[in-house]
């Protein structure tokens, strides 16, 4: 794919992408902890089951705001900056607000199908972990068969991850 400066973008390796995701999850622990604390304090939640679905919706929105803001303001979260990865649209430009939202929602395909199957089959314990882990591995490896080596959700959203090692 051509870059705006006339060069071309390299595709980040699966290893770099996954390591970026691991780092991102560590950063998001703090973000979600603070958002959960704020929700609990404002609603005076006394039990984890109290307002459970409202809290899940709140955390979904907080995560969405986090990713959409970073992707539309430079194309990189802190973890993506660390691992020199940027998300761009199919033409190498910054993401629009709508495209960033679409990418966020489609990224949930990493876990939602496995969670739905897990719930349908009534799996528990290690069986549940194995199903989710297997799905994530298959989802990640699907990029190997894509012509441009992008994740499925990126292709569906019209986005792509590019390497910015030279910058």
């Amino acid at each position: 794919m051509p870059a705006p400066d006339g060069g071309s973008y390299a595709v980040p390796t699966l290893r770099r992408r996954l390591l970026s995701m691991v780092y991102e999850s560590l950063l998001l622990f703090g973000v979600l902890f603070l958002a959960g604390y704020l929700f609990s304090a404002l609603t005076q939640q006394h039990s984890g089951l109290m307002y459970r679905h409202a809290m899940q919706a709140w955390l979904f929105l907080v995560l969405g705001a986090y990713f959409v803001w970073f992707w539309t303001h430079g194309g990189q979260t802190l973890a993506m900056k660390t691992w020199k990865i940027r998300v761009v649209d199919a033409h190498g430009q910054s993401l629009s607000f709508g495209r960033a939202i679409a990418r966020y929602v489609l990224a949930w395909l990493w876990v939602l199908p496995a969670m739905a199957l897990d719930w349908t089959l009534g799996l528990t314990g290690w069986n549940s972990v194995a199903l989710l882990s297997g799905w994530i591995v298959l989802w990640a490896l699907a990029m190997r068969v894509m012509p441009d080596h992008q994740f499925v959700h990126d292709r569906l959203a019209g986005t792509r991850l590019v390497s910015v090692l030279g910058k």
Side-chain angles (χ1 to χ4, degrees):
M1 177 185 79
D5 62 3
S8 65
Y9 290 118
V11 177
T13 63
L14 178 60
R15 179 180 178 270
R16 279 187 38 227
R17 294 181 206 194
L18 294 179
L19 287 170
S20 176
M21 286 182 200
V22 169
Y23 183 32
E24 195 79 69
S25 67
L26 294 173
L27 297 172
L28 286 174
F29 177 81
V31 170
L32 293 176
F33 179 83
L34 289 174
Y37 179 77
L38 178 66
F39 179 89
S40 296
L42 291 176
T43 61
Q44 297 184 1
Q45 183 182 29
H46 300 291
S47 161
L49 296 176
M50 186 177 182
Y51 310 126
R52 181 179 72 170
H53 298 298
M55 183 177 213
Q56 290 170 343
W58 165 248
L59 295 178
F60 177 81
L61 292 173
V62 167
L63 277 176
Y66 171 89
F67 283 114
V68 168
W69 192 87
F70 277 107
W71 292 339
T72 58
H73 292 82
Q76 296 174 294
T77 62
L78 181 59
M80 293 169 78
K81 283 181 184 180
T82 301
W83 287 97
K84 309 272 192 238
I85 297 170
R86 177 176 291 130
V87 63
V88 294
D89 69 11
H91 305 290
Q93 303 300 313
S94 297
L95 297 190
S96 66
F97 184 72
R99 193 168 302 274
I101 289 173
R103 184 175 194 267
Y104 172 70
V105 171
L106 289 168
W108 280 94
L109 292 173
W110 276 88
V111 294
L112 285 182
M115 290 172 64
L117 185 59
D118 178 80
W119 179 76
T120 302
L121 297 176
L123 299 179
T124 59
W126 288 109
N127 291 330
S128 184
V129 171
L131 175 66
L132 182 60
S133 299
W135 177 258
I136 289 172
V137 167
L138 287 174
W139 191 261
L141 291 177
M143 57 109 20
R144 299 273 190 195
V145 298
M146 296 290 178
D148 57 357
H149 299 292
Q150 295 296 321
F151 290 131
V152 176
H153 69 278
D154 279 311
R155 289 195 46 104
L156 293 172
T159 60
R160 55 187 295 113
L161 293 175
V162 296
S163 180
V164 287
L165 284 173
K167 297 183 180 192

